[in-house]
Amino acid sequence: AGLGEFRIRDLNDEINKLLREKGHWEFRIKELGGPDYARIGPKMLDHEGKEVPGNRGYKYFGAAKDLPGVRELFEKEPLPPPRKTRAELMKAIDAEYYGYRDEDDGILEPLEQEHEKKVIAEAVEKWRMEREARLARGEEEEEEEVNIYAVNDDESDEESGKEKEGEEGQQKFIAHVPVPSQQEIEEALVRRKKMELLQKYASETLMAQSEEAKTLLGL
């Protein structure tokens, strides 16, 4: 450590250079059919060296590991805190977590009541101002409540539909389209059957006479 920073760096570079040359010779010996010294040779120098994490190949020996800028590279980052399991997270969840006990302290409810009174007073004041403005313009005020679900009795079946009642205890409903009665359906089926028979068996002259008779009768 007393050699100085620059001398230590030079010696460390020289050691790494010799290690690389040693690795090249070991590879060449194996290539020529000799023993694999990289696998069976001594590792003493390699074990004394320490590689910077993420920088494989270059090693620092002895006092070189304590050089400024190198020491920080070997400092390990603190491990992240262990993640809690789902069971551990569920231990802290109770009724208070979901807000069911927010009013137990007696603080929130009075604040909500005070805010509610304030909002109602503002709404009433706004309605009063709008009412006075309408009266100032001479508009007539309508106080009659309108039931949007009411159905007028004098509406015709074609306009409002017919009300269907099921068995006793069932909910009533209103058909908003014209619904023919059973008698009207039967009459329509009879007329359709007559027309099919006339088209099948009657002659063209008879058909023309039938149409002329309907026209005269206003049918």
Side-chain angles (χ1 to χ4, degrees):
L3 295 177
E5 179 181 347
F6 298 103
R7 180 58 178 161
I8 293 175
R9 289 184 184 277
D10 291 341
L11 288 176
N12 197 78
D13 291 341
E14 184 67 21
I15 294 173
N16 279 274
K17 180 179 178 181
L18 294 174
L19 287 175
R20 286 195 300 271
E21 185 175 354
K22 175 176 174 286
H24 293 326
W25 280 112
E26 291 173 348
F27 177 77
R28 181 59 177 166
I29 291 171
K30 179 182 176 182
E31 188 178 25
L32 295 173
D36 187 2
Y37 289 106
R39 184 170 61 87
I40 63 176
K43 303 288 185 180
M44 184 172 57
L45 292 178
D46 293 348
H47 289 169
E48 291 178 358
K50 189 175 182 181
E51 293 180 351
V52 175
N55 187 13
R56 183 174 178 81
Y58 192 90
K59 292 180 172 55
Y60 290 90
F61 297 89
K65 292 183 287 187
D66 297 326
L67 292 174
V70 178
R71 187 185 305 108
E72 291 78 4
L73 297 176
F74 288 111
E75 292 179 356
K76 295 182 179 180
E77 297 181 359
L79 297 176
R83 298 185 60 181
K84 294 183 178 180
T85 62
R86 186 176 182 86
E88 293 175 345
L89 294 174
M90 294 297 293
K91 290 180 180 179
I93 297 179
D94 52 8
E96 187 175 0
Y97 175 83
Y98 292 102
Y100 292 118
R101 300 178 60 185
D102 291 348
E103 300 178 357
D104 292 352
D105 53 4
I107 299 177
L108 183 61
E109 189 171 355
L111 295 176
E112 291 179 344
Q113 293 177 355
E114 182 180 354
H115 182 70
E116 183 179 0
K117 293 179 181 178
K118 181 180 178 181
V119 173
I120 293 175
E122 292 177 354
V124 171
E125 183 64 24
K126 181 180 179 181
W127 173 82
R128 185 179 293 109
M129 293 177 62
E130 293 178 353
R131 179 172 176 269
E132 292 176 355
R134 289 197 302 269
L135 293 176
R137 292 194 301 266
E139 297 180 0
E140 295 182 358
E141 186 178 8
E142 296 181 0
E143 297 291 344
E144 182 182 358
E145 294 183 357
V146 179
N147 185 3
I148 62 174
Y149 299 103
V151 179
N152 296 331
D153 297 334
D154 55 350
E155 292 182 353
S156 62
D157 292 343
E158 295 180 356
E159 294 176 352
S160 62
K162 295 182 179 180
E163 182 176 357
K164 295 293 184 178
E165 296 184 359
E167 297 178 358
E168 185 177 359
Q170 292 183 351
Q171 185 179 3
K172 299 179 181 180
F173 68 94
I174 299 173
H176 295 280
V177 294
V179 179
S181 62
Q182 184 67 25
Q183 183 179 358
E184 293 175 347
I185 295 175
E186 293 177 355
E187 292 176 357
L189 292 175
V190 172
R191 288 196 301 268
R192 181 179 177 182
K193 190 67 176 178
K194 288 181 178 180
M195 292 299 299
E196 291 178 355
L197 294 174
L198 286 174
Q199 292 177 359
K200 184 175 181 180
Y201 298 105
S203 61
E204 295 182 0
T205 304
L206 184 58
M207 288 289 294
Q209 293 177 355
S210 177
E211 293 295 334
E212 184 179 358
K214 289 182 179 180
T215 303
L216 295 174
L217 295 175
L219 299 177

